[in-house]
Amino acid sequence: MDASALTLLVDILDAGNLSQAARKLKMTRANVSYHLNQLERAVGMQLVRRTTRRVEPTEAGLRLLQHGRAIQGELTAAQEALASLGQGLHGRVRLGVPTGFGQVVLAPWLIDFKRRHPGIVLDVLFDNRVDDLLRDEVDLAVRVMSEPPPTLVAHTLGPVRHVACAAPHWIAANPMALEPEALSQAPVLTAGVSGRSLRLAAYRGSERREVALEPTLTSENFQFLHQAVDAGLGIELLPDYVVAADVAAGRLGLLLTDWRLSIFGTHMVVLHMPDRYQTRAIRTFLDELLALGRTRLAEAAQVGAPA
């Protein structure tokens, strides 16, 4: 058994199937399968269970997976030690981030971070889907959810509160009841899946209500949603950090200010794998991301917060 065979096992299990591992390693699927078979022969045990779509580790595979990760971490640390002989941080940071949070909050900081650390390669995926970190091949993922997956390490940035807002001229022309149920009859514009009903949770003190929404316009492009709201198409239902500046400037007016609203999740978290080695570049990036995110979410929560 050699170190390269163990790191190959890590790559296969991280990828979830042989085909994905082959693409990542720039090898043929047959070649990956051959090396896996050779490793299993060398140890005399089955290391993975193969299905039509995925491979999963056996108990022996899990034991070797831990050692393989340790070897990968040591190799990365050795490369870092050599790179640190020069000046500045080096390496790659792969980040998955929701579209709105990424565009409104993180974009200026990401540019500044890259300017301060030119040796770091940033790979940023703007996406609202809550998917597998392994499939997206990211080191860190910022996600909005109520309960982080128990298999991942989660750092909480803060609570996420959705707010209902509209253009002042629309509010003046469309008086609306000050109850969450009024949203079910109103033209709602929000992020989400087109054609699928969304469930809105509304809280006021100890009271909780749930309302089914059928948005008339959905998009992951928040600039487009702002334009649609400004044109008088209805009520925008977005996280507070997306609309905070427009509300503060008077470009948008708030509705249902007595209620705390939630749709896609109650907290924003940063997720990463528990046993994956973090380079100095990733650790530096994560520390700054946590500090910035927590500050900006706390600031946004002050805009129109319910009593």
Side-chain angles (χ1 to χ4, degrees):
M1 185 192 313
D2 59 23
S4 61
L6 283 180
T7 58
L8 176 70
L9 177 66
V10 173
D11 290 327
I12 291 172
L13 292 174
D14 277 355
N17 61 65
L18 297 183
S19 298
Q20 187 68 18
R23 283 192 290 271
K24 178 181 178 181
L25 297 170
K26 295 181 173 56
M27 300 168 60
T28 65
R29 188 182 185 282
N31 200 9
V32 171
S33 180
Y34 170 78
H35 285 292
L36 175 59
N37 289 334
Q38 290 296 104
L39 176 60
E40 290 182 324
R41 284 189 186 141
V43 300
M45 297 180 184
Q46 182 182 5
L47 301 177
V48 301
R49 300 185 189 89
R50 300 163 178 81
T51 68
T52 55
R53 294 187 176 182
R54 294 189 60 81
V55 293
E56 297 178 349
T58 62
E59 183 177 353
L62 278 175
R63 297 282 182 91
L64 286 186
L65 179 64
Q66 296 173 359
H67 292 288
R69 288 202 193 284
I71 291 172
Q72 279 191 336
E74 289 298 324
L75 290 174
T76 304
Q79 293 169 346
E80 268 198 348
L82 292 177
S84 66
L85 293 175
Q87 294 183 348
L89 294 174
H90 293 78
R92 178 181 294 271
V93 179
R94 299 163 297 183
L95 173 71
V97 61
T99 305
F101 190 70
Q103 291 174 343
V104 175
V105 175
L106 293 189
W109 170 73
L110 288 168
I111 293 170
D112 178 65
F113 185 90
K114 175 59 182 172
R115 184 182 294 115
R116 289 184 285 110
H117 302 288
I120 294 179
V121 177
L122 289 183
D123 185 356
V124 185
L125 173 66
F126 290 83
D127 197 339
N128 289 332
R129 294 172 301 126
V130 181
D131 281 334
D132 192 346
L133 268 68
L134 298 179
R135 197 201 70 178
D136 289 336
E137 295 186 353
V138 296
D139 300 302
L140 304 168
V142 181
R143 294 290 182 257
V144 176
M145 54 182 53
S146 297
E147 292 292 337
T151 56
L152 301 176
V153 176
H155 304 269
T156 300
L157 293 178
V160 172
R161 179 177 58 98
H162 279 69
V163 293
C165 52
H169 63 85
W170 189 93
I171 295 175
N174 297 271
M176 194 180 81
L178 302 180
E179 301 294 333
E181 289 77 10
L183 290 174
S184 64
Q185 305 299 321
V188 170
L189 292 64
T190 188
V193 180
S194 179
R196 190 182 76 183
S197 177
L198 298 177
R199 307 295 299 185
L200 169 75
Y203 305 86
R204 185 172 59 185
S206 59
E207 183 180 4
R208 182 186 186 277
R209 299 186 191 177
E210 191 168 299
V211 181
L213 300 177
E214 293 186 5
T216 59
L217 190 154
T218 63
S219 175
E220 294 185 2
N221 187 314
F222 293 96
Q223 183 179 0
F224 170 62
L225 289 177
H226 286 343
Q227 292 173 339
V229 168
D230 188 57
L233 294 187
I235 299 172
E236 195 169 34
L237 200 55
L238 291 176
D240 49 12
Y241 57 80
V242 173
V243 301
D246 290 315
V247 171
R251 292 185 293 269
L252 290 174
L254 291 174
L255 302 164
L256 302 174
T257 54
D258 288 342
W259 296 86
R260 180 167 55 87
L261 308 179
S262 175
I263 303 179
F264 303 105
T266 57
H267 286 79
M268 182 170 291
V269 296
V270 182
L271 304 172
H272 61 79
M273 298 292 292
D275 52 1
R276 183 172 289 172
Y277 178 80
Q278 289 189 341
T279 64
R280 285 181 58 230
I282 294 174
R283 293 196 301 272
T284 300
F285 184 91
L286 176 60
D287 288 343
E288 290 195 26
L289 171 61
L290 293 176
L292 173 77
R294 287 165 178 164
T295 299
R296 292 297 298 274
L297 286 181
E299 291 172 349
Q302 302 307 310
V303 178

Coordinates of all heavy atoms in Angstrom, one line a residue, residues 101-154:
F101 N -26.7 37.4 -1.0 CA -25.7 37.7 0.0 C -24.3 37.9 -0.7 O -23.5 38.8 -0.3 CB -25.6 36.5 1.0 CG -24.7 36.8 2.2 CD1 -25.1 37.7 3.2 CD2 -23.5 36.2 2.4 CE1 -24.4 38.0 4.3 CE2 -22.7 36.4 3.5 CZ -23.1 37.3 4.5
G102 N -24.1 37.1 -1.7 CA -22.8 37.3 -2.4 C -22.7 38.6 -3.1 O -21.7 39.3 -3.1
Q103 N -23.8 39.0 -3.8 CA -23.7 40.2 -4.6 C -23.8 41.5 -3.7 O -23.0 42.4 -3.9 CB -24.9 40.3 -5.6 CG -24.8 39.2 -6.7 CD -26.1 39.2 -7.6 OE1 -27.1 39.7 -7.2 NE2 -26.0 38.6 -8.7
V104 N -24.7 41.5 -2.7 CA -24.9 42.7 -1.9 C -23.8 42.9 -0.8 O -23.3 44.0 -0.6 CB -26.3 42.7 -1.3 CG1 -26.5 43.8 -0.4 CG2 -27.3 42.6 -2.4
V105 N -23.5 41.8 -0.2 CA -22.6 41.9 1.0 C -21.2 41.5 0.7 O -20.2 42.2 1.1 CB -23.1 41.0 2.2 CG1 -22.2 41.0 3.3 CG2 -24.5 41.5 2.6
L106 N -20.9 40.4 0.0 CA -19.6 39.8 -0.1 C -18.8 40.4 -1.3 O -17.6 40.4 -1.2 CB -19.7 38.3 -0.2 CG -20.1 37.5 1.1 CD1 -19.9 36.0 0.9 CD2 -19.4 38.0 2.3
A107 N -19.4 40.7 -2.4 CA -18.7 41.1 -3.6 C -17.6 42.2 -3.3 O -16.4 41.9 -3.7 CB -19.7 41.6 -4.7
P108 N -17.9 43.3 -2.7 CA -16.8 44.3 -2.4 C -15.7 43.7 -1.6 O -14.5 43.9 -1.8 CB -17.5 45.4 -1.7 CG -19.0 45.3 -2.1 CD -19.2 43.8 -2.2
W109 N -16.1 42.9 -0.6 CA -15.0 42.3 0.3 C -14.2 41.3 -0.5 O -13.0 41.2 -0.3 CB -15.7 41.7 1.5 CG -14.7 40.8 2.3 CD1 -13.7 41.3 3.1 CD2 -14.6 39.4 2.3 NE1 -13.0 40.2 3.6 CE2 -13.5 39.1 3.2 CE3 -15.4 38.4 1.7 CZ2 -13.2 37.7 3.4 CZ3 -15.0 37.1 2.0 CH2 -13.9 36.7 2.8
L110 N -14.8 40.5 -1.3 CA -14.1 39.5 -2.1 C -13.1 40.1 -3.0 O -11.9 39.7 -3.1 CB -15.1 38.6 -2.9 CG -15.9 37.6 -2.2 CD1 -17.0 37.1 -3.1 CD2 -15.1 36.5 -1.6
I111 N -13.4 41.2 -3.6 CA -12.5 42.0 -4.4 C -11.4 42.5 -3.6 O -10.2 42.5 -4.0 CB -13.2 43.1 -5.2 CG1 -14.2 42.5 -6.2 CG2 -12.3 44.0 -5.9 CD1 -15.2 43.5 -6.8
D112 N -11.7 43.1 -2.4 CA -10.7 43.6 -1.6 C -9.7 42.5 -1.0 O -8.5 42.7 -1.0 CB -11.3 44.3 -0.4 CG -10.3 44.9 0.6 OD1 -9.5 45.8 0.2 OD2 -10.3 44.4 1.8
F113 N -10.3 41.4 -0.7 CA -9.5 40.2 -0.2 C -8.5 39.8 -1.3 O -7.4 39.5 -1.0 CB -10.4 39.1 0.2 CG -9.7 37.9 0.8 CD1 -9.5 37.8 2.2 CD2 -9.2 36.9 0.0 CE1 -8.8 36.7 2.7 CE2 -8.6 35.8 0.5 CZ -8.4 35.7 1.9
K114 N -9.0 39.7 -2.5 CA -8.2 39.3 -3.6 C -7.0 40.3 -3.9 O -5.9 39.9 -4.2 CB -9.0 39.1 -4.9 CG -8.2 38.8 -6.2 CD -7.4 37.5 -6.0 CE -6.6 37.3 -7.3 NZ -5.6 36.1 -7.1
R115 N -7.4 41.6 -3.7 CA -6.4 42.6 -3.9 C -5.3 42.5 -2.8 O -4.1 42.7 -3.1 CB -7.0 44.0 -3.8 CG -6.1 45.2 -4.1 CD -6.8 46.5 -4.0 NE -7.8 46.7 -5.1 CZ -9.1 46.7 -4.9 NH1 -9.6 46.7 -3.6 NH2 -9.9 46.9 -5.9
R116 N -5.7 42.2 -1.6 CA -4.7 42.1 -0.5 C -3.9 40.8 -0.5 O -2.8 40.7 0.1 CB -5.4 42.2 0.8 CG -5.9 43.6 1.1 CD -6.6 43.7 2.5 NE -7.9 43.1 2.6 CZ -8.2 42.0 3.3 NH1 -7.2 41.4 4.0 NH2 -9.4 41.5 3.3
H117 N -4.5 39.8 -1.2 CA -3.8 38.4 -1.2 C -3.7 38.0 -2.7 O -4.5 37.0 -3.1 CB -4.6 37.4 -0.4 CG -4.7 37.8 1.1 ND1 -3.6 37.8 1.9 CD2 -5.8 38.3 1.8 CE1 -4.0 38.2 3.1 NE2 -5.3 38.5 3.1
P118 N -2.9 38.6 -3.5 CA -2.9 38.2 -4.9 C -2.4 36.8 -5.2 O -2.7 36.3 -6.3 CB -1.8 39.2 -5.5 CG -1.0 39.7 -4.3 CD -1.9 39.6 -3.1
G119 N -1.8 36.2 -4.2 CA -1.3 34.8 -4.4 C -2.4 33.8 -4.2 O -2.2 32.6 -4.5
I120 N -3.6 34.2 -3.7 CA -4.7 33.3 -3.5 C -5.6 33.3 -4.7 O -6.0 34.3 -5.2 CB -5.5 33.6 -2.3 CG1 -4.6 33.4 -1.0 CG2 -6.8 32.8 -2.1 CD1 -5.3 33.8 0.3
V121 N -5.9 32.1 -5.2 CA -6.9 32.0 -6.3 C -8.3 31.8 -5.7 O -8.5 30.9 -5.0 CB -6.6 30.8 -7.2 CG1 -7.6 30.6 -8.3 CG2 -5.2 30.9 -7.8
L122 N -9.2 32.7 -6.0 CA -10.6 32.6 -5.5 C -11.5 32.0 -6.6 O -11.4 32.4 -7.8 CB -11.1 34.0 -5.2 CG -10.6 34.7 -3.9 CD1 -11.3 36.0 -3.7 CD2 -10.7 33.8 -2.7
D123 N -12.3 31.0 -6.2 CA -13.2 30.4 -7.1 C -14.6 30.5 -6.4 O -14.9 29.8 -5.5 CB -12.8 28.9 -7.3 CG -13.7 28.2 -8.4 OD1 -14.7 28.8 -8.8 OD2 -13.4 27.0 -8.6
V124 N -15.4 31.4 -6.9 CA -16.7 31.8 -6.2 C -17.9 31.3 -7.1 O -18.0 31.7 -8.2 CB -16.8 33.3 -6.0 CG1 -18.0 33.6 -5.1 CG2 -15.5 33.8 -5.2
L125 N -18.7 30.5 -6.4 CA -19.9 30.0 -7.1 C -21.1 30.7 -6.5 O -21.4 30.5 -5.3 CB -20.0 28.5 -6.9 CG -21.3 27.8 -7.3 CD1 -21.4 27.9 -8.9 CD2 -21.3 26.3 -6.9
F126 N -21.8 31.5 -7.2 CA -23.0 32.2 -6.8 C -24.2 31.3 -7.1 O -24.5 31.0 -8.2 CB -23.2 33.5 -7.5 CG -22.2 34.6 -7.1 CD1 -20.9 34.6 -7.6 CD2 -22.5 35.5 -6.1 CE1 -20.0 35.6 -7.3 CE2 -21.6 36.5 -5.7 CZ -20.3 36.5 -6.3
D127 N -24.8 30.8 -6.0 CA -25.9 29.8 -6.2 C -26.8 29.7 -5.0 O -26.3 29.7 -3.9 CB -25.3 28.4 -6.5 CG -26.3 27.4 -7.1 OD1 -27.5 27.7 -7.0 OD2 -25.8 26.5 -7.7
N128 N -28.1 29.7 -5.2 CA -29.0 29.6 -4.0 C -29.4 28.2 -3.6 O -30.1 28.0 -2.7 CB -30.3 30.4 -4.3 CG -30.1 31.9 -4.4 OD1 -29.2 32.4 -3.7 ND2 -30.8 32.6 -5.1
R129 N -28.9 27.2 -4.4 CA -29.3 25.8 -4.0 C -28.5 25.3 -2.8 O -27.4 25.7 -2.6 CB -28.9 24.9 -5.2 CG -29.7 25.1 -6.4 CD -29.2 24.3 -7.6 NE -27.8 24.6 -7.9 CZ -26.8 23.7 -7.9 NH1 -27.0 22.4 -7.7 NH2 -25.6 24.1 -8.2
V130 N -29.2 24.5 -2.0 CA -28.5 24.0 -0.8 C -28.2 22.5 -1.1 O -29.0 21.6 -1.0 CB -29.5 24.0 0.4 CG1 -28.8 23.4 1.7 CG2 -29.9 25.4 0.7
D131 N -27.0 22.3 -1.6 CA -26.6 21.0 -2.1 C -25.3 20.5 -1.4 O -24.8 21.1 -0.5 CB -26.3 21.1 -3.7 CG -27.6 21.1 -4.4 OD1 -28.6 20.5 -3.9 OD2 -27.7 21.6 -5.6
D132 N -24.9 19.4 -1.9 CA -23.7 18.7 -1.3 C -22.4 19.5 -1.6 O -22.1 19.8 -2.7 CB -23.7 17.3 -1.9 CG -22.7 16.4 -1.2 OD1 -21.9 16.9 -0.4 OD2 -22.7 15.2 -1.4
L133 N -21.6 19.7 -0.5 CA -20.4 20.4 -0.7 C -19.4 19.6 -1.6 O -18.7 20.1 -2.4 CB -19.7 20.6 0.6 CG -19.9 22.0 1.3 CD1 -21.4 22.1 1.8 CD2 -19.0 22.1 2.5
L134 N -19.5 18.3 -1.5 CA -18.7 17.4 -2.3 C -19.0 17.6 -3.8 O -18.1 17.6 -4.6 CB -18.8 16.0 -1.9 CG -18.4 15.7 -0.4 CD1 -18.6 14.2 -0.1 CD2 -16.9 16.1 -0.2
R135 N -20.3 17.6 -4.1 CA -20.6 17.7 -5.5 C -20.2 19.0 -6.1 O -19.8 19.0 -7.3 CB -22.1 17.5 -5.7 CG -22.6 17.2 -7.1 CD -24.0 17.5 -7.3 NE -24.2 18.9 -7.3 CZ -25.4 19.5 -7.6 NH1 -26.5 18.8 -7.8 NH2 -25.5 20.8 -7.6
D136 N -20.4 20.1 -5.4 CA -20.0 21.4 -5.9 C -18.5 21.6 -5.8 O -18.0 22.6 -6.3 CB -20.7 22.5 -5.1 CG -22.2 22.5 -5.5 OD1 -22.6 22.0 -6.6 OD2 -23.0 23.0 -4.6
E137 N -17.8 20.7 -5.1 CA -16.3 20.8 -4.9 C -15.9 22.2 -4.4 O -15.0 22.9 -4.9 CB -15.6 20.5 -6.3 CG -15.8 19.1 -6.7 CD -15.0 18.8 -8.0 OE1 -14.4 19.7 -8.5 OE2 -15.0 17.6 -8.4
V138 N -16.5 22.6 -3.3 CA -16.2 23.9 -2.7 C -15.6 23.6 -1.3 O -15.9 22.6 -0.7 CB -17.4 24.8 -2.5 CG1 -17.9 25.3 -3.9 CG2 -18.5 24.2 -1.7
D139 N -14.7 24.5 -0.8 CA -14.1 24.4 0.5 C -15.1 24.9 1.6 O -15.1 24.3 2.7 CB -12.8 25.2 0.5 CG -11.8 24.7 -0.5 OD1 -11.4 23.5 -0.4 OD2 -11.4 25.5 -1.3
L140 N -15.8 26.0 1.2 CA -16.7 26.6 2.2 C -18.0 26.9 1.5 O -18.0 27.3 0.3 CB -16.1 27.9 2.7 CG -14.7 27.8 3.4 CD1 -14.1 29.2 3.6 CD2 -14.8 27.1 4.7
A141 N -19.1 26.8 2.2 CA -20.4 27.1 1.6 C -21.2 27.9 2.5 O -21.4 27.5 3.7 CB -21.2 25.8 1.2
V142 N -21.6 29.1 2.1 CA -22.5 29.9 2.9 C -24.0 29.5 2.5 O -24.3 29.6 1.3 CB -22.3 31.4 2.6 CG1 -23.2 32.3 3.4 CG2 -20.8 31.8 2.9
R143 N -24.8 29.2 3.5 CA -26.1 28.7 3.2 C -27.1 29.3 4.2 O -26.8 29.5 5.4 CB -26.2 27.2 3.2 CG -25.4 26.5 2.1 CD -26.1 26.8 0.8 NE -25.4 26.1 -0.3 CZ -24.6 26.7 -1.2 NH1 -24.4 28.0 -1.1 NH2 -24.0 26.1 -2.2
V144 N -28.4 29.5 3.8 CA -29.4 29.9 4.7 C -30.3 28.6 5.0 O -30.7 27.9 4.0 CB -30.3 30.9 4.0 CG1 -31.5 31.3 4.9 CG2 -29.5 32.2 3.7
M145 N -30.4 28.3 6.2 CA -31.1 27.1 6.6 C -31.5 27.2 8.1 O -31.0 28.1 8.8 CB -30.3 25.8 6.4 CG -28.9 25.8 7.0 SD -27.9 24.4 6.7 CE -28.0 24.3 4.9
S146 N -32.4 26.3 8.5 CA -32.8 26.3 9.9 C -32.0 25.3 10.7 O -31.6 25.7 11.9 CB -34.3 25.9 10.0 OG -35.1 26.9 9.4
E147 N -31.6 24.2 10.2 CA -30.8 23.2 10.9 C -29.6 22.8 10.0 O -29.9 22.1 9.0 CB -31.6 22.0 11.3 CG -32.7 22.3 12.4 CD -32.1 22.7 13.7 OE1 -30.9 22.2 14.0 OE2 -32.7 23.3 14.5
P148 N -28.4 23.1 10.4 CA -27.3 22.6 9.6 C -27.2 21.1 9.6 O -27.5 20.4 10.5 CB -26.0 23.2 10.2 CG -26.6 24.4 11.1 CD -28.0 23.9 11.5
P149 N -26.7 20.5 8.5 CA -26.5 19.0 8.5 C -25.5 18.6 9.6 O -24.5 19.2 9.8 CB -25.9 18.7 7.1 CG -26.3 20.0 6.3 CD -26.3 21.1 7.2
P150 N -25.9 17.5 10.3 CA -25.0 17.0 11.4 C -23.6 16.5 10.9 O -22.7 16.4 11.7 CB -25.8 15.9 12.0 CG -26.7 15.5 11.0 CD -27.1 16.7 10.1
T151 N -23.5 16.2 9.6 CA -22.3 15.7 9.1 C -21.3 16.7 8.7 O -20.1 16.4 8.4 CB -22.6 14.8 7.8 OG1 -23.2 15.6 6.9 CG2 -23.4 13.6 8.2
L152 N -21.6 18.0 8.8 CA -20.8 19.1 8.4 C -20.5 20.0 9.6 O -21.3 20.1 10.6 CB -21.4 20.0 7.3 CG -21.7 19.2 6.0 CD1 -22.4 20.2 5.0 CD2 -20.5 18.6 5.4
V153 N -19.4 20.8 9.6 CA -19.1 21.8 10.6 C -19.8 23.1 10.2 O -19.7 23.5 9.0 CB -17.6 22.0 10.7 CG1 -17.3 23.1 11.7 CG2 -16.9 20.7 11.1
A154 N -20.5 23.7 11.1 CA -21.3 24.9 10.8 C -20.8 26.0 11.7 O -20.8 25.9 12.9 CB -22.8 24.6 10.9

